[in-house]
Amino acid sequence: MVSSRFLVKGAQSLTSRSSMLSRSMATVQSSIGDKQVPMSNLEKGKFVNYARIESNLQVVRQRLNRPLTLAEKIVYGHLDNPHEQDIERGVSYLKLRPDRVACQDATAQMAILQFMSAGLPQTAVPTSVHCDHLIQAQVGGPKDLARAIDINREVYDFLATACAKYGIGFWKPGSGIIHQIILENYALPGLMMIGTDSHTPNAGGLGMVACGVGGADAVDVMAGIPWELKAPKVIGVYLDGKMSGWTTPKDIILKVAGILTVKGGTGAIIEYYGPGVESLSCTGMATICNMGAEIGATTSLFPYNKRMAAYLQATGRSQQAAYAQEFNHNLQPDEGSEYDRRIEINLSELEPHINGPFTPDLATPISKFAEEVKKNNWPEELKVGLIGSCTNSSYEDMSRSAHIAKEAADHGLKTKSIFTITPGSEQVRATIARDGFVDTFENVGGVVLANACGPCIGQWDRQDVKKGEVNSIISSYNRNFTGRNDANPATHAFVASPDLVTAMTFAGSLTFNPLTDSLKGADGKEFKFSDPAGFELPAKGYDAGENTFQAPPEDGTTVNVAVSPSSDRLQLLKPFKAWDGQDIIDAPVLIKAKGKCTTDHISAGGPWLKYRGHLENISQNCLIGAINADSGEANSVLNQETGDFGPVPTVGAYYRDRNIPWVVVGDENYGEGSSREHAALEPRFLGGRAVICRSFARIHETNLKKQGMLPLWFKNGADYDKISGSDKLSIVGLNDFKPGQDIKVEITHKDGSKDSFLTTSSINEGQWEWFKAGSALNKMAAAAKARNQ
Ligand code: SF4
């Protein structure tokens, strides 16, 4: 630990550290025992494992001999091997055992297809799948939902049957947005979850370490393999004072985003603490954690408190609240624990903020916003205001917005801008309908959309402006990158609290400041909005609404997974061939990629996402964005067999169909970007055997190994220049390979001349077994088969 780190308030200086240590160490004496408290009300026989966290922490405390932040307690409490694990923040790679996995419907498809290949009867940890991303907002809730069910039927049928077979909880379309459902049913203080969606950190509002991951990581955890994470740094955000008036939890994260910027949280957990936490509701804390994804944070986290307890009780989890209270010593940071960076925010002074356009970290306090609009020539007219999404769709959010809408209605006003409302879950929808908020919104012209992602993920059939028309919208969502909501690059998208969004739709102008400005009522008289007021939790309790949950049967072995052989969206995976024990000889270079080659260049998104459950179809985008170093062009490579040039996937498949293995050559940091597993699956599917680069992005390198590819590093980076796209490469000595050894590669140039170079790799014993088996899943399936014999 370096002395420049920051201490949890209460500690005076590093010189008093030894006394603090003894004080904080005293907190570990209590024992949680091994009570059987259910992890959720929906999963039989799955219990909260606080005892494991406690016992892990006893080992870790003895080894580190220093106070721990809350993030450290939960993360290290989930170590696979606390005795031998290297632990250095920002340096070591931790092997962790998360408690659960959550997948949304778009990313679940390939994750489950891969899990099926592992040959396991059930997921190793409780898992849930949520149908929320594929529902397009067009005219309003029920009609949009019915249309989505029709269009996506085969995907939903596949997910529903696969979930039933493998013991996974399935949330049907219309149930709500993944992160709201998780908060309502599964998130618990001190536990750890991974989810195949970047806003999984939402569950930090209930004190859970919840991280967004790629499908490959989810498959590992579902199959019982530890999850690897670089030991996060910890950024402490000290909250002082108390929120009031128009300031909301959203403004805390908008302010933090302005301070840290979109990259400032990378590799770190943001841990909130201090007396100001008490003024935040549980769902408000979730909002803050949710949007921590916008600053690149691994996740965000709050200490356990009475507001979390109240939410757990309101959502039928009093038993879990009581157990968390018992475990509270491990749900707070130790006094004297150190942060890598510390930020302080006084909530009593915090102004409401509006962030954007085009980036979530361009933060402007409301008092300066009108000036900025004019200065920057942002379109003043507000076309659309959207509230909801997983970020701000709680009962409290809706009740405050309804309060504003009611006040405007009392003055005879309807919204000037289009106004849409997305409830976060069926439970929130049913409750706000029962309590009259839906009527309030509709009375002023609002449209209540389906309980789904809708416009937040671009599932929005927007009709009010044409593509390319410059315009402004404001939402209470989290992301506002160019084109995210409506695919119109000229749309200026801003992000703010639901309170500001709602008020501004009545003004129809971006320059309206409800804290200071007046509106004219239908009677011609001016009025000012009063401070918004709402309800943290519904006084009459939550109304569960329609039952949208499908619990898995106790024995799913007889369930048939529904995949039509003629589907163009879904395709069962066939195991990749095992290594034949021979060196890879005369493999043509499919492409020598120049410069940046991210996972987007390797497996493009956009329209291709429709095929993410169909490996053969989506492989038609393989490496089409990579730049051919020989020609400077994308998606045009030499077919060394025919002498013609063709698209990368076509040439790759040509070789594969003739049993000719091929190789990719890449530059620096190959495979950076999102961790999408398709970028490793596709080259393998098309017959690739190795990728040789100057350097790899770590996650992609691991993904390649999982699919049975060889990721090799030029030992001497300059050897990259020896190769062209018309060369053949032989990777030799594989039979004698031992992890840690160099691997020799021989080049045969087009003119027959020869050369060679050495490569290194980070392949370990286990990963070498993956290569030999053809993939990690093949290895797993063989082990499962052996166990069953
Ligand atoms: Fe992602 Fe938006 Fe859906 Fe939330 S509502 S899960 S941010 S797409």
Side-chain angles (χ1 to χ4, degrees):
M1 284 283 168
V2 290
S3 57
S4 62
R5 284 184 173 151
F6 299 91
L7 300 177
V8 164
K9 196 157 178 153
Q12 299 306 309
S13 70
L14 286 170
T15 51
S16 59
R17 186 167 161 180
S18 55
S19 65
M20 289 181 308
L21 275 173
S22 52
R23 227 173 0 173
S24 59
M25 293 303 156
T27 61
V28 304
Q29 299 305 323
S30 81
S31 169
I32 194 70
D34 42 11
K35 272 191 192 158
Q36 294 207 325
V37 173
M39 276 177 70
S40 80
N41 297 333
L42 300 166
E43 293 156 331
K44 285 193 197 131
K46 312 283 181 196
F47 302 107
V48 177
N49 196 348
Y50 282 159
R52 175 184 63 174
I53 301 175
E54 184 117 314
S55 99
N56 268 9
L57 287 181
Q58 275 170 8
V59 177
V60 171
R61 282 180 188 286
Q62 271 181 356
R63 290 184 53 205
L64 298 184
N65 196 28
R66 62 170 172 80
L68 301 175
T69 65
L70 171 59
E72 288 182 300
K73 287 183 179 181
I74 303 179
V75 172
Y76 306 158
H78 286 83
L79 285 173
D80 183 46
N81 183 345
H83 294 277
E84 289 172 17
Q85 172 72 62
D86 279 341
I87 304 173
E88 191 180 345
R89 293 194 330 212
V91 177
S92 11
Y93 284 94
L94 308 178
K95 284 202 176 349
L96 299 163
R97 293 281 180 185
D99 299 289
R100 64 180 315 118
V101 175
C103 304
Q104 41 99 331
D105 47 2
T107 49
Q109 297 167 50
M110 188 51 80
I112 289 183
L113 285 164
Q114 288 183 85
F115 176 77
M116 287 167 70
S117 314
L120 301 171
Q122 292 227 318
T123 56
V125 300
T127 300
S128 56
V129 166
H130 304 262
C131 295
D132 56 359
H133 274 59
L134 305 177
I135 301 168
Q136 191 192 46
Q138 215 172 59
V139 288
K143 282 192 182 151
D144 291 348
L145 180 59
R147 202 180 52 257
I149 290 173
D150 198 36
I151 295 170
N152 302 308
R153 188 172 302 280
E154 60 178 327
V155 172
Y156 295 146
D157 286 349
F158 162 68
L159 293 175
T161 50
C163 287
K165 188 167 185 74
Y166 297 107
I168 300 170
F170 178 67
W171 290 85
K172 298 174 199 169
S175 56
I177 306 169
I178 174 168
H179 310 304
Q180 190 67 30
I181 302 279
I182 295 283
L183 201 71
E184 289 170 358
N185 297 280
Y186 300 122
L188 283 180
L191 299 195
M192 175 180 277
M193 172 177 69
I194 60 166
T196 58
D197 188 272
S198 41
H199 293 96
T200 303
N202 191 71
L206 257 177
M208 188 176 210
V209 164
C211 305
V213 297
D217 284 354
V219 174
D220 282 354
V221 175
M222 286 155 73
I225 295 177
W227 172 53
E228 217 180 63
L229 176 74
K230 193 177 205 176
K233 294 189 171 192
V234 190
I235 298 175
V237 180
Y238 179 76
L239 300 179
D240 208 353
K242 199 168 181 251
M243 281 188 320
S244 62
W246 286 81
T247 304
T248 69
K250 179 75 157 219
D251 300 302
I252 298 174
I253 185 60
L254 294 178
K255 170 89 180 166
V256 171
I259 296 169
L260 284 177
T261 78
V262 285
K263 284 201 184 136
T266 307
I269 295 183
I270 316 276
E271 181 171 312
Y272 294 84
Y273 68 110
V277 169
E278 292 300 318
S279 68
L280 307 176
S281 64
C282 175
T283 51
M285 292 186 270
T287 295
I288 295 168
C289 294
N290 177 299
M291 226 188 129
E294 268 48 68
I295 46 178
T298 304
T299 191
S300 302
L301 189 62
F302 277 86
Y304 184 63
N305 59 33
K306 60 180 193 300
R307 310 293 282 266
M308 291 185 194
Y311 185 78
L312 284 172
Q313 283 151 4
T315 49
R317 292 175 287 171
S318 300
Q319 206 184 343
Q320 288 83 352
Y323 200 32
Q325 187 56 47
E326 236 180 281
F327 195 56
N328 192 35
H329 54 283
N330 278 327
L331 301 175
Q332 309 294 328
D334 286 340
E335 195 166 331
S337 55
E338 298 177 359
Y339 294 114
D340 296 274
R341 179 172 177 183
R342 184 175 183 274
I343 293 169
E344 188 164 336
I345 297 176
N346 185 342
L347 300 183
S348 307
E349 294 166 4
L350 180 66
E351 265 193 78
H353 276 61
I354 298 180
N355 288 21
F358 306 121
T359 180
D361 58 354
L362 182 58
T364 311
I366 183 76
S367 59
K368 304 260 176 347
F369 191 68
E371 197 181 308
E372 287 297 307
V373 169
K374 292 194 163 47
K375 195 168 91 194
N376 293 293
N377 223 4
W378 294 332
E380 259 185 70
E381 184 192 355
L382 178 62
K383 289 281 187 187
V384 191
L386 309 98
I387 64 166
S389 91
C390 61
T391 325
N392 274 107
S393 54
S394 65
Y395 184 82
E396 183 180 42
D397 289 329
M398 295 292 157
S399 65
R400 285 173 67 101
S401 285
H403 176 264
I404 296 164
K406 169 90 173 43
E407 204 165 285
D410 289 346
H411 289 274
L413 293 188
K414 291 207 182 281
T415 60
K416 282 198 180 149
S417 316
I418 294 170
F419 180 42
T420 71
I421 301 98
T422 313
S425 67
E426 169 60 7
Q427 176 165 284
V428 168
R429 186 210 59 79
T431 311
I432 64 169
R434 180 199 66 195
D435 293 349
F437 305 155
V438 168
D439 288 344
T440 305
F441 292 136
E442 289 178 347
N443 282 343
V444 295
V447 180
V448 178
L449 302 174
N451 317 319
C453 301
C456 182
I457 190 67
Q459 292 277 19
W460 185 18
D461 184 19
R462 189 176 176 193
Q463 298 291 345
D464 64 302
V465 297
K466 293 204 179 65
K467 195 67 67 67
E469 190 179 326
V470 176
N471 75 100
S472 288
I473 63 172
I474 188 165
S475 78
S476 72
Y477 304 167
N478 41 35
R479 295 215 157 137
N480 60 345
F481 295 122
T482 306
R484 165 144 173 127
N485 302 123
D486 61 359
N488 179 1
T491 294
H492 291 52
F494 297 87
V495 182
S497 68
D499 301 10
L500 281 194
V501 173
T502 306
M504 288 170 89
T505 58
F506 287 97
S509 168
L510 267 192
T511 55
F512 177 67
N513 176 357
L515 283 76
T516 53
D517 300 346
S518 304
L519 287 179
K520 200 175 270 178
D523 56 5
K525 288 191 189 144
E526 303 248 318
F527 75 97
K528 254 184 74 194
F529 283 113
S530 55
D531 288 352
F535 307 95
E536 177 177 352
L537 295 163
K540 288 190 251 168
Y542 282 107
D543 180 338
E546 280 179 41
N547 185 2
T548 50
F549 177 65
Q550 173 194 290
E554 273 193 16
D555 178 6
T557 46
T558 57
V559 176
N560 282 322
V561 178
V563 177
S564 159
S566 60
S567 169
D568 71 342
R569 291 181 70 178
L570 290 163
Q571 182 186 48
L572 293 174
L573 295 175
K574 292 199 191 101
F576 296 131
K577 275 190 203 151
W579 179 47
D580 60 5
Q582 305 296 312
D583 285 343
I584 297 167
I585 299 296
D586 282 340
V589 173
L590 177 69
I591 182 169
K592 179 184 173 184
K594 183 171 91 177
K596 235 186 199 335
C597 192
T598 68
T599 46
D600 266 334
H601 294 95
I602 305 168
S603 176
W608 292 98
L609 295 182
K610 181 177 170 213
Y611 300 114
R612 60 169 111 200
H614 196 294
L615 184 54
E616 189 171 350
N617 286 349
I618 202 168
S619 292
Q620 293 311 307
N621 76 0
C622 184
L623 284 156
I624 60 176
I627 300 300
N628 183 341
D630 294 344
S631 64
E633 285 178 33
N635 203 22
S636 175
V637 293
L638 174 69
N639 182 328
Q640 295 189 25
E641 294 292 301
T642 64
D644 297 331
F645 279 80
V648 188
T650 310
V651 177
Y654 182 96
Y655 294 146
R656 177 199 58 197
D657 296 344
R658 287 154 184 81
N659 286 323
I660 302 168
W662 50 260
V663 173
V664 170
V665 174
D667 210 325
E668 298 282 6
N669 210 19
Y670 181 89
E672 68 179 291
S674 81
S675 60
R676 75 181 56 141
E677 69 266 43
H678 295 86
L681 276 161
E682 291 175 24
R684 179 74 167 109
F685 176 76
L686 291 172
R689 296 303 284 126
V691 181
I692 306 172
C693 292
R694 283 180 158 139
S695 64
F696 285 92
R698 218 188 115 270
I699 293 176
H700 183 62
E701 184 189 18
T702 308
N703 285 347
L704 286 169
K705 291 176 193 167
K706 284 179 184 166
Q707 302 309 338
M709 300 271 289
L710 288 175
L712 304 177
W713 300 57
F714 288 105
K715 192 163 187 182
N716 172 7
D719 288 339
Y720 169 89
D721 296 323
K722 287 182 176 173
I723 303 172
S724 91
S726 56
D727 291 341
K728 289 188 165 61
L729 303 181
S730 297
I731 302 170
V732 298
L734 292 178
N735 262 305
D736 299 324
F737 174 73
K738 299 266 174 315
Q741 288 178 347
D742 295 345
I743 294 178
K744 188 176 174 193
V745 180
E746 296 168 352
I747 313 172
T748 305
H749 296 299
K750 197 176 171 193
D751 62 5
S753 61
K754 308 248 181 199
D755 205 339
S756 69
F757 60 92
L758 287 179
T759 63
T760 60
S761 81
S762 61
I763 297 168
N764 63 28
E765 297 280 352
Q767 292 164 343
W768 186 239
E769 292 301 313
W770 296 348
F771 173 75
K772 290 200 282 190
S775 72
L777 286 171
N778 285 0
K779 180 77 193 157
M780 242 183 265
K785 200 167 166 194
R787 274 197 303 275
N788 292 336
Q789 275 170 355

